[in-house]
Amino acid sequence: MDNATFRDFGKAAIDFVADYMENIRDCDVLPSVKPGYLFDLLPNELPEKPENWQDILKDINRVIKPGITHWQSPNMHAYYPTACSFPSIVGDMISSGFSVIGFSWICSPACTELEVVVMDWLAKFLKLPQHFLHSSEGPGGGIIQGTASEAVLVAMLSAREQTVRRMMQTHPELSESDIRGKLVAYSSDQSNSCIERDALLAAVPIRLLSTGDDLVLTGDILEQAINEDIANGFIPIICIATVGTTGTCAFDDLPSLGKVCNERGIWLHVDAAYAGAALALEEYKELRNGFELVDSLNFNLHKFLLVHFDCSAMWLKDANKVVDSFNVDRIYLKHKFEGQTQIPDFRHWQIPLGRRFRALKVWITLRTYGAEGLKAHIRKHITLAQRFEKYVLADSRFELITERTLGLVCFRPKGSNKYTTDLLNCLVERKKIYLIQATYRDKNFLRFVVCGMDPKPEDIDFAWREIRDQYSMLINEEKLLTLGKTDMGAIVKQLSTDIKISANKDKEKVK
């Protein structure tokens, strides 16, 4: 493919993406394919002769798009947002064109130095403590990891190695294998599954501590577990707290956890993958309490800040502890400027050796929106979630499980768990909107999250109508089965009446 053909293909691809985004509401949010659908549509071996790009682009529409779950659709309300924006896409495209592998400064100085700049920008935007900035005195700083899973694993491995080295010095009577066999980590039973998985990868047993009715991990809960383990000969190394849990977006008590961890010499990491962006808003300034006590934290720009996957920001109070744990030098990695500046070699701060130029898409996105635009985007999600919350509160058949938090509303039909599960199955089968369920105190509930690249109030209205009408259908079907009625005409007529009455009540109550 020469330059001229690349220009044509690239322009057509941009048009394809723009058309896709512009018309995404026309697509069912979930695909209608079955497992293995693609194997029957593609040949078993690669083509012997080159194919033209026009045919390839047609096949994206023919075989790929039908199998896509449309994460950028405003009708996607499952999990948490997967952010995207046109500036971010352009940044990634240019980064792909440069195709640098920035494992050291000399491999592309701009790749490293731009990351230093944007990580300090973000730290100031979120009003993090000064020691997390590259520009501050001390060994702290930020790095762009791929995902929250990587960030947590980096923290866990660093805490493990630092603890092993310290214990070998203070307890020479213990062998290294003895020490490693006694290590233990802590987190909440509400934490993301990646934390439990990272513990498996790090070969460190982890205790998922039970929380109270508020689903918050506190210092008292942690301290009790630490005392039990120390009494049994175990060695605590790290606690992973969560700001914005997966199930209900609960916030662990950082001040009390930080106090315990600092007193005990235990690493405290904060996973703020979704809710961390709210630190930028003054109306959520209380979330910043306790961050001065943590050793590391992460939040995903690809959840709330318009930069697409993968892009997880991580900050370290003392990056030297990570560098000491991961540093392996070979002669081919050295360069003449090494050691002459304070510029980091980020290969020592992460799991892989190589790294992509992610900072470019972050830089372009931050400049395009500015601090005001980013805050407005976060507030828009919150406002739209408040709109949905009002609909739930206006319908006596439904209840909130917890208070709305940021862009998440946790709700359910009143009554048995069967109503929640049946409603979800119905919604998923229709594919017009997508939600998932979770459990709180033996109650199944639905998580409604504001997602999509450009959600609007009418998208929230559409989602509520779909939920309300499908639940009305389920209730009337149940009445039919219970009463044994056979007059289907009467049932349909009654259903139509119920839906109209419910819609009118919703409009009045929301007003």
Side-chain angles (χ1 to χ4, degrees):
M1 183 177 289
D2 57 20
N3 257 357
T5 309
F6 170 66
R7 290 179 191 276
D8 292 339
F9 191 8
K11 290 173 183 176
I14 291 290
D15 285 340
F16 175 88
V17 172
D19 289 342
Y20 168 71
M21 291 296 191
E22 189 173 27
N23 300 297
I24 198 167
R25 287 174 175 82
D26 297 336
C27 303
D28 287 346
V29 67
L30 288 172
S32 297
V33 300
K34 295 181 179 179
Y37 89 98
L38 194 60
F39 306 146
D40 297 328
L41 297 175
L42 296 179
N44 295 327
E45 297 178 358
L46 64 88
E48 284 292 331
K49 296 184 178 180
E51 299 183 44
N52 62 61
W53 66 263
Q54 291 91 343
D55 290 337
I56 296 171
L57 194 57
K58 287 177 184 177
D59 276 351
I60 292 177
N61 251 327
R62 182 178 68 88
V63 303
I64 302 301
K65 190 177 174 184
I68 294 292
T69 296
H70 300 287
W71 282 80
Q72 297 313 313
S73 169
N75 299 321
M76 162 67 86
H77 301 292
Y79 312 107
Y80 276 126
T82 297
C84 190
S85 66
F86 292 130
S88 179
I89 293 172
V90 171
D92 210 28
M93 181 178 67
I94 297 173
S95 175
S96 295
F98 288 143
S99 298
V100 305
I101 303 178
F103 52 80
S104 67
W105 180 87
I106 197 64
C107 288
S108 279
C111 180
T112 296
E113 295 191 16
L114 186 61
E115 190 156 333
V116 169
V117 170
V118 298
M119 289 305 295
D120 275 8
W121 280 9
L122 286 167
K124 294 174 182 177
F125 175 68
L126 300 178
K127 297 180 173 58
L128 296 178
Q130 286 290 314
H131 55 243
F132 287 120
L133 274 67
H134 288 280
S135 56
S136 67
E137 294 184 6
I143 178 175
I144 301 174
Q145 305 283 8
T147 65
S149 304
E150 292 176 49
V152 173
L153 184 57
V154 166
M156 194 173 292
L157 292 173
S158 302
R160 184 190 71 185
E161 295 310 303
Q162 292 298 309
T163 303
V164 169
R165 295 178 187 184
R166 184 179 70 249
M167 292 297 294
M168 289 179 69
Q169 291 178 348
T170 57
H171 293 275
E173 73 279 6
L174 296 176
S175 69
E176 182 175 343
S177 60
D178 286 338
I179 295 170
R180 291 186 184 276
K182 297 176 182 294
L183 303 180
V184 63
Y186 306 93
S187 193
S188 159
D189 59 0
Q190 301 298 309
S191 60
N192 189 272
S193 60
C194 77
I195 291 171
E196 189 174 3
R197 183 173 181 271
D198 284 339
L200 291 172
L201 294 173
V204 176
I206 188 166
R207 289 186 61 180
L208 300 179
L209 305 177
S210 298
T211 55
D213 289 345
D214 58 2
L215 305 178
V216 172
L217 181 62
T218 66
D220 290 340
I221 297 172
L222 176 63
E223 189 161 38
Q224 181 179 347
I226 291 172
N227 289 337
E228 291 172 358
D229 286 336
I230 291 177
N232 290 318
F234 292 101
I235 304 170
I237 65 166
I238 190 171
C239 173
I240 299 99
T242 308
V243 172
T245 57
T246 303
T248 62
C249 202
F251 306 130
D252 287 342
D253 185 3
L254 295 189
S256 67
L257 292 172
K259 182 175 183 294
V260 172
C261 288
N262 286 192
E263 290 174 351
R264 303 292 190 115
I266 297 171
W267 190 298
L268 177 59
H269 179 82
V270 175
D271 175 22
Y274 169 66
L279 296 170
L281 305 181
E282 282 306 304
E283 57 265 39
Y284 287 91
K285 63 182 179 182
E286 70 277 1
L287 293 182
R288 302 173 197 151
N289 295 335
F291 271 93
E292 71 280 2
L293 303 173
V294 309
D295 295 283
S296 56
L297 68 135
N298 66 270
F299 99 96
N300 292 347
L301 280 82
H302 61 246
K303 277 193 169 63
F304 230 152
L305 279 196
L306 294 162
V307 180
H308 67 278
F309 188 87
D310 56 354
C311 192
S312 184
M314 181 185 188
W315 285 274
L316 300 154
K317 180 185 288 187
D318 186 351
N320 290 336
K321 292 180 179 179
V322 178
V323 173
D324 291 344
S325 301
F326 293 172
N327 192 356
V328 175
D329 271 327
R330 296 289 178 90
I331 190 170
Y332 54 77
L333 296 173
K334 296 185 179 298
H335 55 84
K336 69 177 183 178
F337 297 104
E338 196 171 41
Q340 298 182 23
T341 70
Q342 295 301 312
I343 303 297
D345 271 342
F346 281 128
R347 72 178 186 273
H348 302 311
W349 295 41
Q350 61 180 22
I351 302 299
L353 178 65
R355 56 199 331 272
R356 298 191 297 114
F357 196 176
R358 296 188 189 95
L360 192 60
K361 65 181 179 182
V362 176
W363 182 60
I364 292 175
T365 303
L366 297 185
R367 291 185 62 187
T368 302
Y369 286 94
E372 288 185 359
L374 297 173
K375 291 176 183 178
H377 177 73
I378 299 169
R379 289 187 175 111
K380 180 174 78 167
H381 276 229
I382 295 170
T383 300
L384 292 176
Q386 290 170 339
R387 185 182 187 91
F388 183 83
E389 179 186 37
K390 290 178 180 178
Y391 277 127
V392 175
L393 293 172
D395 193 322
S396 60
R397 300 173 301 172
F398 292 88
E399 62 181 346
L400 294 178
I401 284 294
T402 60
E403 292 183 2
R404 177 202 52 79
T405 306
L406 301 179
L408 172 65
V409 179
C410 299
F411 75 106
R412 68 191 298 273
K414 293 178 180 177
S416 72
N417 286 335
K418 183 178 184 300
Y419 292 128
T420 301
T421 302
D422 287 350
L423 175 57
L424 178 64
N425 290 340
C426 183
L427 295 172
V428 171
E429 183 68 24
R430 285 174 53 79
K431 304 179 179 66
K432 301 303 180 185
I433 62 174
Y434 184 31
L435 290 79
I436 58 172
Q437 64 178 331
T439 304
Y440 171 69
R441 296 171 64 182
D442 298 325
K443 286 185 175 182
N444 290 2
F445 66 91
L446 300 177
R447 297 173 70 262
F448 181 94
V449 191
V450 178
C451 299
M453 194 170 87
D454 186 26
K456 300 181 184 299
E458 49 266 35
D459 298 315
I460 304 303
D461 300 343
F462 172 80
W464 176 249
R465 286 196 301 271
E466 177 73 1
I467 293 167
R468 178 203 66 202
D469 293 353
Q470 293 311 306
Y471 188 61
S472 294
M473 290 280 290
L474 288 172
I475 292 300
N476 278 281
E477 286 176 5
E478 184 178 78
K479 287 179 181 178
L480 173 61
L481 293 172
T482 302
L483 299 175
K485 292 182 178 178
T486 57
D487 186 356
M488 292 303 297
I491 291 295
V492 172
K493 184 177 180 181
Q494 182 61 48
L495 172 60
S496 177
T497 301
D498 288 349
I499 290 175
K500 289 178 180 178
I501 292 173
S502 179
N504 289 333
K505 286 183 178 179
D506 287 339
K507 289 179 180 178
E508 292 302 318
K509 289 182 179 179
V510 170
K511 284 180 181 178

